[in-house]
Amino acid sequence: MRAFEFPDVEEDEIGRLGDDLSALGERFEAALASVDDGDALDALRLTFLGRNGEITALRRSIGTLPAAERPEAGKTINEAVARLEAQLERASSALTNRELAAQLDVAIDVTFPAPPARTGSIHPLRRTLEDACDYFQRRGFAVVLGDEIETEYYNFDALNIPADHPAREGFDTFYLANGKLLRPHTSPTQIRTMQQHPPPIAIVNPGKAYRRDAVDARHSYMFSQIEGLLVAPGIHLGHLKGMLTGLCRELFGPNQAVRFRPSFFPFTEPSAEVDTTCPGCGGSGKRGDAGCKTCGGSGWIEIGGSGMVHPDVLRECNYDPERVSGWAFGLGVERIAMVRYDVDDLRVFFENDPAVLAQLA
Ligand code: DAH
């Protein structure tokens, strides 16, 4: 009599799973062979490996197996998944390579004109400052750079503007938490230079200044000035007028004139506002039949302030007002550049649109 044989359940179930998987593998390979782009590849991945894909269905069926067989079944499925993924990976990089090769295959026409190379240009404000400095350097002036953060002493007191002086209000100064300030004009550099060097002195000082101004076509919280200072025995206002006339001719053209309008600055006596012939209309105040827009019809444009250095300022720097005298000026660089480049809004200088800058170059 034949002994009873237990049916080999384990072999059967796992064997069937193996058959299912290899059939699945064959269908997968057949489908993969006809994939020719990334979208089709993604679709294939979903069909077999996606959340509702065939492999997931097989994994769910593991639950129906006797507990002892589940680990083995799981392992078999994991191995199959790894094989499919490796094949997908290979197919994906083959596709990428094919696309790259196709791109390279396009004939390159080496005679095709290249896009024009864009050259940079000097910014109009810098160009104006450089031209002005250059004019003074050729006349023996030194260019001195001051600090943008200053103390009340250099910015006000030493310039004859004591703490209770109403002129302080006019400067709309930004004060810093440490008691210092953002200089509202370049004039403190006059004091620093004179306190470091005995007379004679001849400097120009270009740089930025800051004021609590709202931004519009003519104002900004940050702007540029160029300061000039000449102190020596016998210096008088005529020297200043001659020097500024030469500067305006260099910046605007050979027919420029300069006029002084009486004004007030605590650090100069007498003081004057500086106007030069409007380059927009040549001083006539008219452009064609209309009034000149640049100067508003007056024929003059204002470019800054100036005067003879106040004796108190000289004394503060240990200069003897009986022996030396001097002139000083402070010009608004944006104002000069607006007229020079015929720009009616100074924001153009700060927005730095490359197309606009290229036009002004
Ligand atoms: N610091 C003056 C300002 O910003 C301009 C100025 C006027 C400067 C007269 C000078 C000067 O050196 O002498 O309004």
Side-chain angles (χ1 to χ4, degrees), residues 3 25 33 61 84 105 107 111 162 165 170 193 208 219 235 253 278 290 304 318:
S61 72
L84 299 193
D105 229 20
T111 67
H165 198 289
T193 314
K208 295 196 190 87
H219 298 90
I235 296 298
C278 171
N318 287 320

Side-chain angles (χ1 to χ4, degrees), residues 236-245 257-263 270-276 300 303-308 327-329 331:
H236 58 73
L237 211 57
H239 295 137
L240 173 61
K241 190 166 183 184
M243 202 62 89
L244 288 176
T245 304
V258 161
R259 82 173 179 185
F260 287 140
R261 266 179 302 113
S263 184
S271 303
E273 226 117 34
V274 185
D275 295 346
T276 187
W300 296 94
I303 56 172
S306 69
M308 296 303 292
W327 54 245
F329 65 79
L331 306 183

Side-chain angles (χ1 to χ4, degrees), residues 171 184-185 187 190 211 225 227-228 265 267-268 305-307 328-330:
F171 283 100
H185 57 173
S187 303
Q190 292 184 16
R211 286 187 199 179
Q225 289 188 331
E227 186 89 13
F265 300 104
F267 31 92
T268 44
S306 69
F329 65 79

Side-chain angles (χ1 to χ4, degrees), residues 22 62 68 106 113-114 116 118 136 139 148 151 172 185 187 236 243 261 270 278 293 306 308 314-315 340 351:
S22 60
I62 293 180
V106 177
R118 224 173 45 200
F136 283 102
R139 282 156 183 78
E148 289 170 27
T151 64
D172 289 327
H185 57 173
S187 303
H236 58 73
M243 202 62 89
R261 266 179 302 113
C278 171
K293 276 197 307 200
S306 69
M308 296 303 292
L314 292 176
R315 268 191 286 271
R340 220 178 159 203
E351 281 161 6

Side-chain angles (χ1 to χ4, degrees), residues 124-164:
L125 291 179
R126 176 154 293 273
R127 161 91 353 113
T128 302
L129 276 174
E130 279 178 0
D131 290 350
C133 287
D134 188 60
Y135 168 85
F136 283 102
Q137 277 180 299
R138 293 201 310 273
R139 282 156 183 78
F141 284 68
V143 175
V144 176
L145 299 181
D147 290 337
E148 289 170 27
I149 293 179
E150 268 295 0
T151 64
E152 290 200 63
Y153 171 74
Y154 287 108
N155 191 73
F156 290 128
D157 301 82
L159 284 162
N160 206 19
I161 317 174
D164 55 355

